[in-house]
Amino acid sequence: MSRKKIIAGNWKMNMTPSEAVKLIETLKPLVKNEEVDVVFCVPAIDIIPAVEAAKGTNICIGAENMYFEEKGAYTGEISPGMLVDAGVKYVIIGHSERREYFAETDETVNKKVLKALEHNLTPIICCGESLTQREQGITIDWIRQQIKIAFLNVTADQAKTTVIAYEPIWAIGTGKVATTEQAQEVCGAIRACIGEIYDQATAAAIRIQYGGSVSASSAPELFAQPDIDGGLVGGASLKPDFGAIVNYNK
Ligand code: 13P
């Protein structure tokens, strides 16, 4: 079973709408690669101009977050229906920054995953351990717990369409990329966990990204690992380097 690689940029809280359009114009010719699904996850206010700027290219636009209700009195939130109507295909769920600064929990992540799937949005479900957890040797236990709760009540057919991003918190924005062995070990454990929850076919179908200080130089070795199906890229997704990351195999 061969899985198509998926390489996504997470712009975080960077780029105004006009800057977003300029960046997409710059990156458009650099991120062409038929063998890879290319996603730009952008701030909510950039979504509409970004979808317009990416028309006719291989770039899909994703959101960085969404709420788990359909509509109503939730000031400041964005619904899945709004994202779909704006042309969004993917949505990052449960990024460690959302968990740390905005009190998201495994339970809210699960609600968001279910809601995204209901609307045919592909969730990019984030998990990852802190440095303390790694040093205490509880990385795999922690990740398995995050995965098991995130996938509660998700069917096997739905799970097959999702993307999981393994992002060790200590590697995010630090320039300290996980070693290839560390990244492969955890991505392999995630796939095994999906196999336990569902079955081998589901485990073989699901795509698992690595994220955390991915660069043009670290991408080729990381993405060549058997259980790493691409990356979720922060800082380097805002630069022409993202073109080299997407073309890691050229
Ligand atoms: P960096 O690539 O900047 O380390 O960010 C990773 C990340 O958090 C992507 O979601």
Side-chain angles (χ1 to χ4, degrees), residues 61-82:
I61 299 300
E64 297 178 12
N65 181 34
M66 56 159 241
Y67 199 50
F68 53 72
E69 294 290 352
E70 293 291 332
K71 55 158 66 178
Y74 305 103
T75 303
E77 291 296 319
I78 304 221
S79 74
M82 292 171 188

Side-chain angles (χ1 to χ4, degrees), residues 10 12 92 95 97 167 171-175 211-214 232-236:
N10 173 9
K12 310 195 176 183
I92 298 175
H95 191 279
E97 288 150 17
E167 300 203 303
I172 295 177
T174 56
S213 298
V214 172
L232 184 57
V233 184

